[in-house]
Structure formats: structure tokens, C-alpha cells
Amino acid sequence: MPTYLTLNRANWDERTAVHLASRFYDLSSHRAGLGRLDAIVDSELGPVAGLRILHLQSHLGDDSIALAQRGAAEVIGVDFSPAAVAAATALAAECRVPHARFVESDVYSAPEALPDHAAAFDLVFITWGTVTWLPDLPRWARVIAQFLKPGGALYFADGHPAAYVFDGAGGPDGRPDWTFPYFTRAPLPFDNAADYADPEARLTNTRTIEFLHPLADILGALRAAGLRLDWFHEHPRLTWQLFPCLVRDADNLWTWPDRPWLPLAFSLRAEKP
């Protein structure tokens, strides 16, 4: 197993218990029968009733279950963390959503984990903190295209790579500092005991390896895989507090305290012809 995958999996296995106990992942709406999606996804995704959906990097499965509760015919969540898959499976059972199920696999091995699902899905759904953990975007895009039916679509939302060039620790005023060149494509090793969902938590599996992907690489990989961009949006807010200076807005997203200095997130829809 590649080193990046071993380290990152151990980190996310440990994060699962932290996230289940945190207020960041509020699962009360799921247990009430209609799970909430974040405001960006909710405003863009559109109806999912009757769709077969593949959710890559599904983590706790909260969005997978929310999609199933909105009428999706089938939702399969894929995640490389066995702890997360177990937590998602338990949550689906608790919420009585039998048409949401979860499979343990990294993204690149998903076609082998789901061998009978080529060109089976109307929608591939990928959101928030995903491609930064993946080294090979062309292969990622080919996996997406392989799973989509002709006429199917990818919905993708994530942190903006222009924001990732800064260090979240920042200066005394909480504003971020320049840290990572935008065109860095080499693996970025980190050793950090903190967790974004619980500021009091301290992880023991602290070492991770991440990857910074410029927008051109993301869009180019999707185009090379045969997907056609339908729309592309940039946002001055996102779902987690990337920098200490960010504040919550009325939609419970994190944004700049004064002016929209630079995009914090982006989203897109790409179709398979």
C-alpha cells in the first residue's frame, strides 16, 4: 500500500470517532428523516429523486443518507476508512435508509470494489476536502467517467486551490500567510494533531500526506476523461473554518469577516456525453 494511503487512512480512521462525537457533524436532521445538505450544495444540486448516485469519499455517510432521504433510488458511498464505513452503515440502519449502502475502498480501487457498476450511475457526488488526498487526478477523473451513465453527471464541490496556498495558522490577527506555491504538485507532508471538527481533540495518528492541485489540473483531468463542463462556480465561503479569521454566516458557512478577499471554494457540474 502506498505510504500516503497508509498514513492518511490511519488518520481518518481516528478522526471518525472524533467526528461522530463532535457538534460539527450534526446528524439530528438525518435521524429526523430528512438530512440537511450544506447551503452551497443545497442551492446547486437540484432534484435527486429516482437517481442512482455514487458518493466517492463519503466519510460518515451523512450526505449519502441525506441524498437517499431526498428520494434517490440508490446511493452507494465509497470510503477508504473501515471505521468511517462502519459508522456510515450504522447511521443508515439507524435512519432506516436501506437504499444507502457503503463500500470500503480507496477511490482508485473503486471499480474493482464495484465490478458490476460500470456506467451504472446517474450522478457521481464528491464534496469537501477530497482531491487534496489524491495524487493522481487523471486517474480520479477516469474512475468518475467509468461509473457514469451516458448523460450522467458529476457534482463536485471543494476547497479552492487558490486558498490552499496559505497557512491556516496565520499571523496574530488570524489572517493567513503565504506558505505553499500554487503550482506545487509534489506531495506535501504534514504532522498535525489538530482536527477541524473538534478544536479540543488531539490525534495520535498525526502524519498525513496531501496534494495541491491547480484548477487547470482538475478541469483538464475531467475534460481528458471525456466529461463536458456544464457550469463552474466560485464561492467566498466554505463548510469549514480554513483560516482562524473566518466567521460564520447566516447559512452556517465560513466566510471572510469584512470583504471577499479571494475564493474559498468552487463547485462544478460536468456531464458524460
Side-chain angles (χ1 to χ4, degrees), residues 26-35 60-62 64-66 68-69 87-100 102:
D26 180 3
L27 302 174
S28 58
S29 63
H30 301 73
R31 295 182 172 112
L34 188 60
L60 300 181
D62 48 322
S64 305
I65 291 167
Q69 290 174 329
T89 300
L91 181 62
E94 181 184 355
C95 295
R96 300 181 181 180
V97 184
H99 52 299
F102 299 90

Side-chain angles (χ1 to χ4, degrees), residues 1-14 80-82 106 108 133 135 190 204-211:
M1 187 181 298
T3 299
Y4 83 90
L5 199 58
T6 302
L7 293 176
N8 294 347
R9 178 177 289 170
N11 179 267
W12 281 95
D13 278 344
E14 185 176 0
F80 76 157
S81 163
D106 67 272
Y108 301 132
W133 303 99
F190 293 92
T204 57
N205 292 285
T206 58
R207 294 176 59 210
T208 59
I209 297 176
E210 299 183 41
F211 306 87

Side-chain angles (χ1 to χ4, degrees), residues 164-176:
Y164 287 162
V165 303
F166 299 100
D167 178 11
D173 61 354
R175 293 187 183 273

Side-chain angles (χ1 to χ4, degrees), residues 174-192:
R175 293 187 183 273
D177 297 322
W178 296 95
T179 304
F180 308 107
Y182 182 79
F183 295 102
T184 297
R185 293 180 174 89
L188 299 172
F190 293 92
D191 194 339
N192 186 2

